[in-house]
Structures are given as C-alpha cells and as structure tokens.
C-alpha cells in the first residue's frame, strides 16, 4: 500500500492485491475448463452444508432454488411478505440471449463484444464471456418452467432489438418480462421450500454481516413486524440484494430498494467497487411535481418503434401534432445513423439532457422529449403496436392521462441501474472469504454501462448456473466442519451493536422526517453526481453531503419503538447508509479522470460532446476499502486485461 498524489488530494491506493481467480487458457474455454477441473462436493456431503441467501429477486430466488435442488440446506431471507414482490418484477422489456433464432448474425461472440463495448471497456473480459455463454441455457431453463415468452406467427420464440445491438436477441413477455421470469424462479424456489431443502424467512431485514476470523459466518436480521433481532449462522453467505439507485431519492426503483445489506458487508471488510458507475435510463416518465416520491420506467423496447424528437426551436408550445416534420429534430437518428434510436442508454440519456438544457424540452415543465409512435402505427396498425406494448401504453395513460396512441409519449432520463457494487472474483466471492455476491449487488459484468435486457440475464446466470458451480470449492475445504453456533460470542456482540444503533435513531427525537433528509440528499447527488460530473460539482458534493449528514444524525425524527412494525425506523438506517455511499460515489467519480459509459466527466469529452476514455491511466476497476470514513477509503486497483478485445473508441455512428 502506498500514497498516490491524486489530481486534487492524496489518495491511499493498493495495486495488484486483488486475485480474480480467473482460469488460465483461451477466453472461450475458461468456463468449460473451470467446470471440468473445479473441486466438487458429493451429494451426501452437500447435505452437511448450510447456506444463507439474502434477497429473493431473480438472482437470489434462482440461487436458493438451485442450491436447494443440489442438496444444500438453504435459508432464504427477504424483507417482503412474499418473494414475488422483489423488484425484479418491475423489469419490462426483455432478457438477452445469443440464440440467433432470427438468423441475423448473432452469436456468443457478438453478445460478448456488444456487452464489452456497451460497458465502454471497463468490465472483466472473462466474466462477460461466461455471461454470454450461459445466456443460451437461461432461455431453455425458463421455457421449461413455463415462462410465457412471446412467440412469432409460426409458434417459435420471438425476439426484438434493444439498445447497443444491431441484432434481435431480446426474449420478452410483452412488457412484463421481469414478472414472468420471477414467477418462474419463485416456482422453483417454492418447490424446494415444499421439499424442505430451503427455509424461507419472510419480512426479515439483514442489518449486519457477521465476520469471524476473517470470514463471513452469518447475518443478523430484524423482523420487520415484531422488531425481534436474531442471528443466523451458515457455512457461506450469499447477497443478492440489488442496486443502490435510491441514493438519488427519485429513481425508477421501488421505494424499499436500498444498499444496506451490501453496505453493511462493506463496513465489515468487503470491498465496494466502481460506485460512480450509475446508469441513467433514457425512457422514463418525466417528473411532474416537486412532491413526487419515485419515477416510472417505460421499457427501452419502446425505442424499437418509437421515434425520439424535440422541436427545432426552443420554447415551442404547440401541440406535437401541429409541429411539421421539417420543424422537428430527430436528434438520435441524425447523430447516430447506424443505430438511430437504439443507441445505448448512456448515449441516449446524455443527448436528451443536452437538448433539454438547450431550452428545447417539452411538456409543462419543459423537462422531456417526445417518443412518437405515429409512423409505427401508420405502418403496422394500432393493433400490432398494442400487441407489442399494450400494457406499457396503459401504464403511461394511467399515470399521465395522455393516450400514447394519439399523442407522443413524454420521456426523460432517470436513475435506474447501478453497475457498481461489491467486488467479486471470477467465482462471485468477495474479497471477504465466504461472502458471495450475485446480480446487481456485485460489480462484475457490466463495466461502466449496462446494455438493456442484460440485468435479467446476469441475475439468472449467476443464480441458476454460475454460483452452483463456484460455491463448491469454498465449501469443499470445510468438509466435516460445523457452522459457527449462532450463540457464539461474535453473534452476541453483533446483535448488541445492532440494538445500540437502533436505539440511537429512536433517541435523537429531532424535528425533520427521514424522507426530508433523503430528498435533500437526493438533490445533492443528482445535481453533482448525476448525468454529468465536474470537478467543482464533485467537490461541492464532498463538502455538503457530510454537513447534511451531521444534521441528519442530530435532527432526524424517528417515532415509535423498535419492538413493532416501524417503517420510519427501517428507513432511518437505510438513509444513513445512503449518506455514506453518496460520499464514496463522489470520491470515486472525482478520482476517475475520464469519461466512460454512465460516468461522464465534463472535463473529458470530445469536441462533439462524446465520452473520452483514458485507457492508459484508468483501464482498471477501483475497489474501495472501508476505513470508517468514506472520504478516506483506500483504493484497490484491479487492472482490466483484454486479451481478445482491442480497446477502441466506442462509436455508434
């Protein structure tokens, strides 16, 4: 470890200390070679191991179901009343897989290349290739479970295009793909619950990871209905708890989504990687007033048939039907003729912000752009468009009161997905032995920007196919070992710390609600660590967030008690974690002196306004070590070595 002089302040860094455990050999053979040579646990021995899985979305439910089916004893924890309420249910547009059913040139290699390029060459090559390989199996798995994917006229599975690709590889179930996939994973999970291999713990929130002698041995949870705090021990802990977009307050995520499980693991020693990589989704319904508590996503699939435009001139208040084509700016089609409206999300989002900042935004608040289906309806008919997107159009009309069949949708970017997360190696284990991290909670597959329809792909790949193979080597070395008893001193000490933290929130007795502080934090993060970042803005965030946090710790109002349902108490701890995370996000963004994917530094752009990477100095992942102060975290660098891909300027023109 040493001190490196950052551009603005001193940074503690560690280089080369992270072992990714990536297999040797050619890229296309790494996963097969790994599976062929990895240590196995026999069926009889599997029954002697207990595994905790936190989170029951696509990654968690599929992992718990798969591990249970293999014979492990699994304890699955969810803070929902049912796993079916996990936020995976909200995913709309589809799931990628390189099946090449359309015979349009798709392949595992092309999906791999599109994902690497879409992530702006900031993801781990071996993990991404494995993801592309496993994608083939996911569709077969889901069809066998009865997932009702859309089919073409002949009865074969249908596909559509998504941003960042020139082939049709996205399988979908109208605009309800996440819901249908989650029901498939839920059915597999509940089958194992019925057979006794999985024990389901509902309405339990993980408040602490328990670490003993340098390894993860269990968790401490709070029952959200009774307030009871309890400890649970296992041979391994799996976190599949999603991302952290709600740090912005307004996002497309459900209000209960939070970073607490991952952040508490980070505070116990797990490295947090690339927190500045947050994705702004270009296709959301614009904010309608200052009191709104969340934003609604309109699927990226709409960009297949909808054309995005704004008036040529600013402050044009005419209805869209009265603005002729000659006075419209179809800006994505003009700037990116090869991809048009199907450019990746970060490119579409930045361009939408640009035209709105120029004063050409539409709607009463001038905070949106049009997504117009007039041409598609004229060419295909209203019935065909309704068959593809009917439920999405219905959602839009219920929220806005506007009929998208008759008038263009109004859309604008909003925070959606987070590419950063806990650092994991090729086996999905964090630097903290015994702690595995799946799906959006880890950092591994998407680099600086996620392509649409790849979140569902990663979650199911990790849960159904990767973790069941990679958890074996960790468990194999503990054959014959009992798990640490849940009444061990380390659990008692952790429970005491959790109780003390809970009581501190109740003792503050301040004057302002948790939501007030969360909204103020969200404004700070959106304004300074949002769609574009700059040195002054990031330094402002690093100055003002701690001050607001101090006010939060002295003036937040948490009523009620800890021995009952208390949603204010739940939110108090989650928002405190967001305050600490927000500082690390700003710190990470400040140190990354380049623009790449969802991380756009205003100081680092081309004359045309495109992102400018710095491969000589920043072709690495940054994994941060907790020191007690997020502004004094220690940076660990994982160099990103590309053996099969040439680093190139990312162009969609």
């Amino acid at each position: 470890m040493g001190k490196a002089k950052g551009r603005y302040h001193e940074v503690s860094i560690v280089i080369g200390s992270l072992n990714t455990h990536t297999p040797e050999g050619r890229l296309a053979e790494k996963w097969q070679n790994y599976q062929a040579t990895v240590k196995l646990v026999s069926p009889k021995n599997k029954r002697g191991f207990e595994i905790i899985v936190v989170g029951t979305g696509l990654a968690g439910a599929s992992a718990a179901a798969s591990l249970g089916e293999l014979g492990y004893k699994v304890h699955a924890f969810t803070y929902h009343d049912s796993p079916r309420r996990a936020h995976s249910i909200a995913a709309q547009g589809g799931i990628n897989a390189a099946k090449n059913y359309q015979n349009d040139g798709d392949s595992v290699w092309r999906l791999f290349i599109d994902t690497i390029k879409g992530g702006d060459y900031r993801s781990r090559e071996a993990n991404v290739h494995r993801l592309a390989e496993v994608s083939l199996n996911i569709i077969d798995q889901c069809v066998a479970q009865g997932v009702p994917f859309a089919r073409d006229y002949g009865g074969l599975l249908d596909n559509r295009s998504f941003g960042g690709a020139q082939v049709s590889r996205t399988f979908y179930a109208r605009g309800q793909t996440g819901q249908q996939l989650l029901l498939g994973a839920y059915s597999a999970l509940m089958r194992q619950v019925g057979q006794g291999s999985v024990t389901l713990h509902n309405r339990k929130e993980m408040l602490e990871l328990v670490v003993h002698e340098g390894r993860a041995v269990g968790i401490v949870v709070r029952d959200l209905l009774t307030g009871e705090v309890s400890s649970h021990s296992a041979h391994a802990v799996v976190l599949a708890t999603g991302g952290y977009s709600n740090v912005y307050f307004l996002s497309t995520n459900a209000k209960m989504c939070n970073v607490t499980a991952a952040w508490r693991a980070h505070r116990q020693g797990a490295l947090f990687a690339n927190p500045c990589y947050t994705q702004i989704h270009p296709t959301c319904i614009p904010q309608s007033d200052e009191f709104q508590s969340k934003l609604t996503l309109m699927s990226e699939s709409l960009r297949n048939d909808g054309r995005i435009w704004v008036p040529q001139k600013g402050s044009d208040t005419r209805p869209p039907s009265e603005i002729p084509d000659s006075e419209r700016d179809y800006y994505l089609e003009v700037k990116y003729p090869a991809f048009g409206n199907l450019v990746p999300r970060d490119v579409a989002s930045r361009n939408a912000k640009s035209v709105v900042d120029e004063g050409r935004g539409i709607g009463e608040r001038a905070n949106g752009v049009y997504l117009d289906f007039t041409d598609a309806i004229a060419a295909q008919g209203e019935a065909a468009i309704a068959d593809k997107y009917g439920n999405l159009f219905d959602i839009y009309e219920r929220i806005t009161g506007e009929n998208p069949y008759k008038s263009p949708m109004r859309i604008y970017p909003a925070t959606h997905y987070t590419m950063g997360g806990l650092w994991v190696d090729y086996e999905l284990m964090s630097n903290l032995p015994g702690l595995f991290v799946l799906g959006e909670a880890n950092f591994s597959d998407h680099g600086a920007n996620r392509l649409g329809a790849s979140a569902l792909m990663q979650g199911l790949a990790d849960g159904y196919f990767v973790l069941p193979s990679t958890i074996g080597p960790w468990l194999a070395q503990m054959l014959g070992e009992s798990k640490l008893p849940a009444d061990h001193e380390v659990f008692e000490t952790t429970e005491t710390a959790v109780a003390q933290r809970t009581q501190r929130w109740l003792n503050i007795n301040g004057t302002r609600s948790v939501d007030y502080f969360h909204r103020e934090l969200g404004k700070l993060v959106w304004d300074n660590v949002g769609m574009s970042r700059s040195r002054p803005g990031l330094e402002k965030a690093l100055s003002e967030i701690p001050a607001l946090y101090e006010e939060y710790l002295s003036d937040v109002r948490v009523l009620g008690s800890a021995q009952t349902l208390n949603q204010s108490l739940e939110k108090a701890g989650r928002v405190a974690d967001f305050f600490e995370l927000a500082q690390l996000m700003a710190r990470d963004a400040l140190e990354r002196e380049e623009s790449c994917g969802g991380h756009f530094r205003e100081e680092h752009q081309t004359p045309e306004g495109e992102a400018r990477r710095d491969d000589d100095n920043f072709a690495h992942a940054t994994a941060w070590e907790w020191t007690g102060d997020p502004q004094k975290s220690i940076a660990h660098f994982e160099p990103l070595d590309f053996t099969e891909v040439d680093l190139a300027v990312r162009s969609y023109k």
Side-chain angles (χ1 to χ4, degrees), residues 259-324:
V259 76
T260 288
W263 193 254
R264 301 290 168 84
H266 173 55
R267 289 172 62 104
Q268 291 293 337
L271 301 179
F272 206 104
N274 299 338
C276 76
Y277 289 162
T278 55
Q279 182 172 79
I280 314 296
H281 196 294
T283 319
C284 302
I285 299 177
Q287 183 180 3
S288 59
D289 61 53
E290 291 297 322
F291 303 102
Q292 201 164 327
S293 62
K294 78 174 300 294
L295 298 171
T296 302
L297 173 69
M298 289 285 100
S299 168
E300 181 178 327
S301 62
L302 294 168
R303 292 198 277 148
N304 274 291
D305 290 297
R307 300 182 69 190
I308 296 173
W309 64 275
V310 291
Q312 292 277 9
K313 297 180 180 179
S315 303
D316 193 330
T317 59
R318 289 177 294 174
S321 60
E322 296 180 9
I323 302 177

Side-chain angles (χ1 to χ4, degrees), residues 118-198:
D120 217 350
Y121 304 92
R122 289 295 177 261
S123 48
R124 189 187 294 149
E125 197 179 56
N127 286 62
V128 176
H129 196 278
R130 177 177 64 189
L131 178 63
E133 293 177 66
V134 170
S135 73
L136 303 175
N137 301 330
I138 296 172
I139 303 304
D140 298 337
Q141 170 88 3
C142 295
V143 169
Q145 292 174 336
V147 174
F149 286 123
R151 295 180 179 267
D152 63 20
Y153 181 78
L156 301 177
L157 293 180
D158 200 8
N159 293 110
R160 57 189 178 198
S161 299
F162 254 61
Q166 292 179 304
V167 297
S168 296
R169 65 163 64 103
T170 304
F171 295 78
Y172 64 98
R174 298 190 76 184
Q176 308 167 358
T177 313
Q179 179 184 33
Q180 300 303 326
L181 292 174
L182 185 60
L183 288 173
Y186 170 76
S187 67
L189 171 64
M190 295 311 293
R191 179 172 180 267
Q192 297 305 315
V193 171
Q195 293 186 350
S197 60
V198 176

Side-chain angles (χ1 to χ4, degrees), residues 52-67 74 76-77 83 86-89 95 138 178 181-186 188-189 238-243 417 428 436-442 445-446 454-468:
I52 286 172
V53 178
V54 184
T56 55
L58 283 181
S62 59
S66 300
L67 295 172
V74 181
F77 290 81
H87 189 58
S88 299
I89 203 170
I95 177 172
I138 296 172
L181 292 174
L182 185 60
L183 288 173
Y186 170 76
L189 171 64
V238 179
L239 297 187
T241 51
Y417 189 89
L428 302 185
F436 294 81
V437 191
L438 311 187
E440 191 178 359
N442 77 33
D445 289 6
H446 304 298
S454 288
L456 305 185
M457 177 175 62
Q458 186 206 354
L460 292 182
D462 286 355
Y464 280 138
F465 299 106
V466 179
L467 182 70

Side-chain angles (χ1 to χ4, degrees), residues 352-608:
K353 180 179 186 297
S354 178
V355 295
V356 169
D357 288 349
E358 291 171 4
R360 294 192 284 157
I362 54 89
E364 290 185 6
R365 296 169 62 92
N367 64 342
V369 301
Y370 286 125
L371 180 61
D372 195 340
F373 291 86
T374 303
D375 291 347
I377 291 173
Q380 303 174 42
E382 186 172 311
I385 296 300
D387 187 56
K388 293 181 184 178
Y389 312 115
N391 66 305
L392 297 171
F393 279 39
D394 291 343
I395 291 171
Y396 181 86
E397 185 170 10
R398 281 198 297 271
I399 291 174
T400 65
E402 302 167 10
N403 183 347
Y405 294 103
K406 305 300 181 184
S407 181
M409 285 185 177
R410 293 176 295 107
I411 60 169
Y412 192 67
T415 51
H416 176 56
Y417 189 89
T418 52
M419 288 73 67
L422 294 181
W423 184 90
V424 294
D425 62 13
Y426 187 78
E427 297 180 313
L428 302 185
M429 187 160 74
S430 74
N431 63 293
L432 199 57
L435 177 66
F436 294 81
V437 191
L438 311 187
E440 191 178 359
N442 77 33
F443 89 109
S444 65
D445 289 6
H446 304 298
N449 176 59
R450 177 178 68 82
L451 291 183
S454 288
L456 305 185
M457 177 175 62
Q458 186 206 354
L460 292 182
D462 286 355
Y464 280 138
F465 299 106
V466 179
L467 182 70
S469 294
T470 62
I471 201 170
W474 168 250
L475 298 174
Q477 63 186 349
M478 293 189 289
L479 286 176
E481 290 186 24
S482 299
K483 65 175 184 177
L484 197 69
D487 59 359
H488 187 278
E489 179 184 2
V490 68
F491 285 96
E492 295 179 359
T493 301
T494 306
E495 281 193 31
T496 299
V498 167
Q500 290 173 344
R501 184 189 307 131
T502 299
Q503 195 57 47
R504 281 199 297 271
W505 297 124
L506 296 169
N507 290 343
I508 292 173
N509 196 28
T511 64
R512 296 189 181 275
S513 70
V514 178
D515 285 342
Y516 165 82
F517 285 103
H518 192 182
R519 189 185 299 273
E520 292 301 306
L521 171 65
K523 290 177 182 177
L524 272 174
V525 182
W526 175 252
D527 289 343
N528 300 292
V529 202
M531 261 196 286
S532 64
R533 294 94 183 261
S534 66
R535 180 183 68 177
L538 292 169
E539 291 181 334
K540 178 181 179 182
L542 288 169
S543 171
E544 295 188 6
I545 292 173
L548 183 63
Y549 190 25
E550 286 299 317
E551 185 181 348
Y552 178 75
L553 294 175
S554 63
D555 196 35
V556 69
R557 181 177 68 249
V558 180
L559 302 177
S561 75
Q563 284 73 47
T564 184
L565 173 68
N566 189 338
Q567 294 183 320
S568 180
L569 176 61
E570 296 169 28
K571 290 189 289 187
R574 296 169 188 169
V575 172
D577 295 331
F578 279 141
F579 267 106
E580 294 179 349
L581 167 67
Q583 295 175 67
L584 189 62
M585 289 171 61
R587 171 95 184 279
D588 190 42
L590 183 62
E591 301 303 334
R592 186 164 286 275
E593 287 277 2
E594 65 167 351
S595 291
C596 57
H599 168 65
F600 189 78
R601 284 288 297 271
E602 295 172 4
E603 302 92 337
H604 304 287
Q605 56 182 304
T606 67
E608 297 78 25

Side-chain angles (χ1 to χ4, degrees), residues 2 26 28 199 454 562 607 621:
R26 294 181 57 247
T199 302
S454 288

